[in-house]
């Protein structure tokens, strides 16, 4: 059996029907090469819904501060609207999708990040359900909604969620973004970042905002799996196909 490939979707890829169909068409090609798991966010959709309902929402270091009173909205957008749209379009294109949350089958457990409110820190827990689905040629599509041991629903950063799922399955991981990968201060692609280089890139401001979370998630997954992790643009079918085949593309995060 081939090593599974976890793909994290977010950003503009989820914001309109044309972009969504484009990226899922690419995933259909990748599914012919590798066993796939999709983990998705939907922060822009959450932000839009919160604003329409008159709620304030902020981010700290790329992660959304989430009040417990906001969770019905957050869960409704991520586990409901975004997840069902992904599954529906995926099935239309030929992917055998199954919509899940992070806590389905106790797959991922979460502790509460009290500094951010109803936000979860995800950790791998039980691979049984996901492995059963993969063995039967399903494509799990996982929303970044977790749960605490007390049963409280939690908003989880999708990059961190995808890294936890990749660790759970001993899988390769591609974090998709709206740009070709991690860029330097001149806007040029950085093809490789070693763990010992990451601190300097963070300190000098080369990597900032939401990309900080992506880098930290990739480093955590790389350290746990001893594999290199990729950050790549969702628009580039050639780059993603190369990554699925184990070839170089985007930005690779390595621990050696």
């Amino acid at each position: 059996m081939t090593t599974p490939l976890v793909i994290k979707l977010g950003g503009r890829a989820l914001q309109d029907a044309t972009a969504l169909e484009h990226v899922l068409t690419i995933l259909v090609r990748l599914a012919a090469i590798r066993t796939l798991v999709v983990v998705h966010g939907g922060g822009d959709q959450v932000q839009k819904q919160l604003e329409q309902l008159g709620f304030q929402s902020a981010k700290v270091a790329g992660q959304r501060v989430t009040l417990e009173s906001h969770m019905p909205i957050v869960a409704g957008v991520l586990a409901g609207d975004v997840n069902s749209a992904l599954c529906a379009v995926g099935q239309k294109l030929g992917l055998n999708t199954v919509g899940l949350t992070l806590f389905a089958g106790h797959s991922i457990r979460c502790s509460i990040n009290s500094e951010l409110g109803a936000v979860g820190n995800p950790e791998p827990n039980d691979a049984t359900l996901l492995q059963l689905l993969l063995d039967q040629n399903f494509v799990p599509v996982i929303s970044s909604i977790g749960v605490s041991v007390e049963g409280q629903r939690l908003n989880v950063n999708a990059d961190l969620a995808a890294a936890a799922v990749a660790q759970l399955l001993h899988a390769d991981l591609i974090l998709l973004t709206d740009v070709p990968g991690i860029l330097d201060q001149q806007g040029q692609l950085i093809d490789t970042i070693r763990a010992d280089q990451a601190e300097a890139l963070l300190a000098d401001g080369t990597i900032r905002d939401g990309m900080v979370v992506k880098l930290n998630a990739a480093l955590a997954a790389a350290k746990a799996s001893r594999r290199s992790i990729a950050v790549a643009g969702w628009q580039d079918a050639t780059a993603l196909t190369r990554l699925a085949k184990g070839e170089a593309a985007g930005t690779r995060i390595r621990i050696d």
Side-chain angles (χ1 to χ4, degrees):
M1 177 181 288
T2 61
T3 301
L5 177 61
V6 175
I7 302 280
K8 183 267 176 173
L9 293 182
R12 291 198 303 270
L14 301 178
Q15 290 179 30
D16 66 72
T18 300
L20 183 60
E21 185 149 339
H22 171 81
V23 72
L24 286 173
T25 298
I26 296 173
L27 295 194
V28 171
R29 301 179 200 172
L30 301 190
I33 303 170
R34 300 282 293 276
T35 301
L36 289 187
V37 177
V38 177
V39 179
H40 69 85
D44 291 328
Q45 291 91 325
V46 168
Q47 181 70 25
K48 181 178 179 180
Q49 187 65 30
L50 288 171
E51 289 176 353
Q52 287 179 345
L53 294 171
F55 293 110
Q56 298 288 328
S57 180
K59 286 187 176 182
V60 174
Q63 293 198 68
R64 184 176 303 281
V65 177
T66 305
L67 300 179
E68 187 171 1
S69 60
H70 292 179
M71 275 309 300
I73 300 164
V74 174
V77 172
L78 297 183
D81 185 43
V82 177
N83 188 271
S84 61
L86 270 166
C87 289
V89 177
Q91 288 191 7
K92 182 186 80 167
L93 296 173
L95 291 174
N96 198 10
T97 54
V98 177
L100 302 169
T101 59
L102 288 170
F103 59 91
H106 302 280
S107 299
I108 301 295
R109 63 187 174 202
C110 289
S111 58
I112 298 175
N113 185 334
S114 56
E115 294 182 358
L116 297 175
V119 171
N121 297 317
E123 296 180 2
N125 188 46
D126 188 340
T128 303
L129 174 62
L130 293 182
Q131 195 59 61
L132 284 170
L133 291 170
L134 295 178
D135 289 345
Q136 296 299 317
N137 298 314
F138 290 101
V139 177
V141 178
I142 305 174
S143 65
S144 54
I145 297 295
V147 70
S148 70
V149 293
E150 296 83 15
Q152 179 184 352
R153 288 181 300 175
L154 301 169
N155 189 14
V156 179
N157 177 275
D159 293 313
L160 299 177
V165 172
Q167 292 172 47
L168 178 70
L169 296 172
H170 306 288
D172 293 328
L173 173 63
I174 303 175
L175 301 172
L176 295 186
T177 185
D178 294 332
V179 292
I182 297 177
L183 308 180
D184 65 20
Q185 292 183 334
Q186 287 71 47
Q188 300 300 307
L189 181 68
I190 305 173
D191 58 10
T192 303
I193 297 175
R194 297 193 313 274
D196 59 1
Q197 297 174 309
E199 186 173 343
L201 291 170
L202 291 166
D204 68 12
T206 297
I207 298 173
R208 56 188 184 276
D209 302 325
M211 199 61 80
V212 173
V213 184
K214 278 187 174 53
L215 178 59
N216 287 331
L219 286 168
K223 289 174 182 176
S225 66
R226 315 302 294 182
R227 302 176 186 275
S228 66
I229 307 302
V231 178
W234 58 265
Q235 303 94 332
D236 192 339
T238 300
L240 297 183
T241 301
R242 290 174 62 188
L243 287 169
K245 293 179 178 179
E247 300 169 2
T251 300
R252 285 278 190 175
I253 289 86
R254 308 177 65 89
I255 58 169
D256 52 6

